[in-house]
Amino acid sequence: MLDLPTVAFYVIAAVLVGSALAVVLLRNIVRAALFLALFFGAAAGVYILLNAEFIAIVQILIYAGAVTVLVLFAIMLTRNAMSANANPYSGQWWLAGIICLALTLGIIYATGSSQMALLNPFASANMASAGDAGGSVVRIGQLLYSPFDYSYVLPFEIASIVLLVAIVGAIIIGRED
Amino acid sequence: MVTLNSFVVLGAVIFCIGLFGALSRRNAVGILMSIEIMLNAVNITLVAFASAFIHNPNVGNRLTGQIFAVFIITVAAAEAAVALAMIIAIYRRRNTIDVGEINLMRW
Amino acid sequence: MVDYVWLIPALPLAALIIVLLVTRPLELAGRPRPQRTAGDAHGLHSVPDAHTAPGDEAVSHEPQAHAEEHDAHGGAHDEHGGATPFWARVGSIIAVLAMVAAFVISVIIFAQFFTGNVPGIDAHGGKTLQIYDWVSFGPLKYAIQFRVDTLTAIMLMVVTGVSMLVHLYSTGYMAGDPGYSRFFIELSLFTVSMLILVLGANFLVLFIGWELVGLSSYLLIGFWFDQAPPANLSDPDTPPYPPPAALKAFVTTRFGDFGFLIGILILFFSTGTFDFVQLQAATPHMNVALLTLAMILVFAGAVGKSAQFPLHVWLPDAMAGPTPVSALIHAATMVAAGVYLVARLFPIYAGVAGPQALQVVGYIGGFTALFAATIALTQNDIKKVLAYSTISQLGYMFVGLAVAETNATGMFHLVTHAAFKALLFLGSGCVILAVHHIQDMRKMGGLARFMPITALTMLIATLSISGIPPFAGFWSKDPIIATAFEYGTAHGGNYWLYGMTAFTAFLTAFYMFRLYFMTFGGRGGGVAGLWGGRYRGEGHPQEAPWTMWLPLVILAVPTVLLGFWGINSGFAHYLTGETIPYVNPFTEALTYTGIAVAVVGIALAWLMYGIEVLPKTLFTGNPIGALVYRVLFHKYYLDELYGAIIKYVVLGLAKGCELFDIYIIDGLVNGSARFVRGLARVSSRSETGLLQNYGAAMFGGVIVILVIVFFAVGALK
């Protein structure tokens, strides 16, 4: 059935896998970082395909925006560390390859034999049952902040403390003395 | 026919690609990028599950997957910041970020 | 008086303690300081001991400061020059008097048993006296008890009597010896030990005595321990050297003691008692095969102590000790301990254990008798001839015990043998003293002219041992031979024992008279070569002092008269309380063949050594005879064989064990350590310090868990 979601899925999947491979395999670290940005963008595309607009936007903002810049800054600050001709892989990359292959196959086999695998993830037009007209954003807001209904307020607050700790920690670790 | 399984397989493949990078890259920043890939793969899987069960009345909160993904993104960003700070600190001390040379815990 | 039997060992023990703690320290304190003058050999007799202070332990062998003048044949004293110190004399007199008192008490006790006048006698014909409660701990009750019955009484007489005479004799023989006091201490120690052995009511006390006599024997054989070693130690013609001889005696008897102990323990663990009387009652309930084995093992102890084949090798070497020691220990008493042991246990041997036990006793005894007699034919050392003669006669005693129905036959020979063998040894001591410590008979001859008393008493003893009536030896040897013949008839014509004993009688007569003629007689002597002749030695021999010939005369009396106790089975009746049917030996043809055989032996010796008409090379002239002579002279090369066994087998085994220990056991221990270290070296290579390796290992573990879960839920087969 070659309808739009299916085609979109395969295209985005191809981009995703391709850029991931590029990040992992490229010798030049800067080019790898740029492919990482592409990867984040393609992931956002996947989220939109799954009707998770909020997550998609957040992904772009944070990952493709902040994290990529962060990585590029780090690369810039550690520019002379590795010569361009050096072998980017450690000695036991073959072992890592075997492990990864085995893990992939294992997971695929495990999920393939399950009934749940046949669900259709593309939401139907019945989005009204999932939330109101705001789409998923409203619903996520309710789930995060609502003081009366069941919500994840506490984890949210803790996440903010984590961020605080991370900021302080990064500053302390990274400062020159 | 794209099913939930396709998304899960996609997530698995990307996860393992990221894992391969984490285990075999020598550049510390490269390892960090591979870890980011792994986290994103997990996110994809979670969001896929969330939208697959959105019509299932037995599931309590049908957007739990997306909430989970939000938190993961948060923590991943924090972790990336701290990790990069560490890499810069190590670079200042040892003038290398080749993890093959940072082996003081060797026997 | 039987209740005071403990006085008998107590008196010599008291004498021992007095000499050890009182007179010997006084004597040592009185010795002058050493004079270190060069080249003054003979003046060093009363050489002091610079190292000893008064009160030093007497029985320790203190190093003598200067070498005494020792002849190669032993004898540390110059009997013509050195004087015995006053306190030493006092000590010896105390010892002699103690022995006389002990002998008197023994006589009284014996008289009581002889007349059957013992108050409080129990059903087994004796009295058990409790001396000391040794262990009384719950079910374990071991006490030191003395048992006195007819057997004990006669043994007490023998031991105290011979010991008393030897004590008296030693005051003369050992005069001038620097170790005079030590000799009497050790002599008294031996006497006490032997008495404990004889008086023991159970195996514990007997074994205490057994071991103590072994110790005393060691001390006394090695009495002249600082004698100069001979040039060639393994030449059979040299006299034995004391230190190795003492050790040899101790170690060889140890072999026997090992079997002895195992036998005692088998009996104990089967019956729960050590006591002789209780054992007699309990052994019939034992498994017969086990009992027979135990009795044979107990006999092994007798084989060691009584110098039977194959543990006889120590006795000729024990002649390294002074002659009184040889007389007391190695002729009359200690070597008779084995015979006493079998006699004491005779009811078990004869009645309860299987016939194999007594067969072993008899055949070993008979074989040893013959074996030792053949060796005695060739020896030139007077004491060695007597030593082999002792071994041979002990074999007779065991044969006597094995073939008769009571232990009287063997015991009678023990008693008569004690008398005439002690006489022979003491007489030889007089001879040795007279010719200045030469023991080689080839350098003697015709001594009867110079030492008539010695010669006459020794002649009587020699006639006795050859079995000529009416002397005692005949009355004790003939029943043995006759009973052996009956035993043979009763056992389907098995006349081996008879043959061995009869032929040995011929050999005994021959070699004893060879000894007599070579020493006292010779060609040209009076009474057809019996009395006097050519003296082949040097110097002027003279008769011994009265302290030495008086015991000879005293011993000659039982040698002549004791035999008559055997008439009408008097001795057997005394010993066992039963009336034994008596056959007058002079009515049997067997007796006359025995006498004839002895006479032939005497005649041959007379022809060869008395009037010397037959050449001494009569038998050894031809090549076969020479070969036989050489084998006999070297004692069948047994000493060399034992030496080779020890050197190659025993030490070889030890070497093997050592190698096993070094290579296998140490190898295992060191090897396991090395293995662990190698394992650690290999395993520590996984600590690379590289995080990626650890990460890879972690995910490898994840895969493993994945697989396990697949199997668990049945997804994979």
Side-chain angles (χ1 to χ4, degrees), chain A:
Chain A
M1 264 182 310
L2 233 61
D3 52 343
L4 185 60
T6 312
V7 171
F9 169 75
Y10 281 113
V11 167
I12 294 181
V15 172
L16 213 52
V17 172
S19 56
L21 280 170
V23 168
V24 164
L25 295 176
L26 274 181
R27 185 184 294 262
N28 189 335
I29 198 74
V30 176
R31 293 190 187 155
L34 293 174
F35 271 106
L36 188 68
L38 178 60
F39 173 80
F40 291 147
V46 170
Y47 295 141
I48 292 181
L49 205 54
L50 289 169
N51 271 327
E53 312 90 30
F54 181 67
I55 306 297
I57 299 298
V58 167
Q59 166 93 355
I60 298 284
L61 276 176
I62 295 182
Y63 266 120
V67 174
T68 309
V69 171
L70 207 54
V71 168
L72 282 167
F73 262 101
I75 291 173
M76 172 191 81
L77 289 172
T78 61
R79 200 62 187 99
N80 308 327
M82 305 231 349
S83 64
N85 296 332
N87 184 8
Y89 304 119
S90 69
Q92 287 95 16
W93 61 269
W94 49 271
L95 187 62
I98 292 172
I99 289 174
C100 297
L101 200 63
L103 198 55
T104 313
L105 293 172
I107 294 177
I108 292 175
Y109 177 72
T111 56
S113 42
S114 161
Q115 299 265 12
M116 305 266 177
L118 300 171
L119 290 172
N120 185 354
F122 296 129
S124 65
N126 225 353
M127 261 318 280
S129 59
D132 49 5
S136 64
V137 183
V138 174
R139 188 70 191 118
I140 286 179
Q142 283 175 338
L143 279 174
L144 277 180
Y145 303 112
S146 168
F148 301 118
D149 298 330
Y150 185 86
S151 72
Y152 295 97
V153 150
L154 185 59
F156 175 79
E157 299 300 335
I158 293 177
S160 63
I161 294 182
V162 169
L163 283 171
L164 174 66
V165 169
I167 291 170
V168 174
I171 290 174
I172 291 186
I173 290 175
R175 73 177 170 182
E176 298 199 27
D177 46 8

Side-chain angles (χ1 to χ4, degrees), chain C residues 27 33 65 136 153 189 192 238 261 294 349 372 401 478 499 514 540 544 558 618 627 648 669 672 715:
Chain C
E27 174 205 345
R33 294 288 122 201
S136 193
L189 175 69
V192 172
T238 58
L261 259 179
Y349 270 107
L401 285 171
D478 179 75
R514 169 177 175 262
H540 299 283
L618 182 64
L627 177 67
Y648 293 114
V669 171
S672 59

Side-chain angles (χ1 to χ4, degrees), chain B residues 19 22-25 31 99-100 102-103 105-107, chain C residues 684-692 694-696 699:
Chain B
L19 182 63
L23 292 181
S24 67
R25 274 285 217 175
I31 293 174
V99 294
I102 305 175
N103 56 359
M105 292 276 280
R106 210 173 112 100
W107 64 271
Chain C
S684 61
R685 294 242 214 96
S686 68
E687 299 281 319
T688 56
L690 294 175
L691 199 59
Q692 289 176 316
Y694 298 159
F699 278 99

Side-chain angles (χ1 to χ4, degrees), chain C residues 45 203 384:
Chain C
H45 289 296
F203 267 121
K384 280 207 184 149

Side-chain angles (χ1 to χ4, degrees), chain B residues 27-101:
Chain B
N27 193 328
V29 181
I31 293 174
L32 183 67
M33 294 196 289
S34 309
I35 290 173
E36 295 300 330
I37 293 177
M38 286 201 286
L39 286 167
N40 273 280
V42 170
N43 273 345
I44 292 173
T45 310
L46 281 166
V47 171
F49 268 101
S51 71
F53 283 99
I54 212 163
H55 291 302
N56 193 330
N58 294 331
V59 179
N61 279 311
R62 284 164 282 193
L63 288 187
T64 306
Q66 295 189 13
I67 303 291
F68 207 155
V70 167
F71 282 117
I72 287 180
I73 291 173
T74 310
V75 174
E79 162 239 330
V82 175
L84 287 165
M86 278 200 292
I87 288 174
I88 291 177
I90 289 177
Y91 175 73
R92 284 205 198 109
R93 287 271 263 194
R94 305 282 232 92
N95 218 36
T96 180
I97 51 169
D98 182 352
V99 294
E101 297 190 16

Side-chain angles (χ1 to χ4, degrees), chain C residues 418-435:
Chain C
F420 58 69
K421 193 45 74 64
L423 196 162
L424 282 168
F425 265 107
L426 294 179
S428 71
C430 292
V431 167
I432 292 171
L433 210 62
V435 298

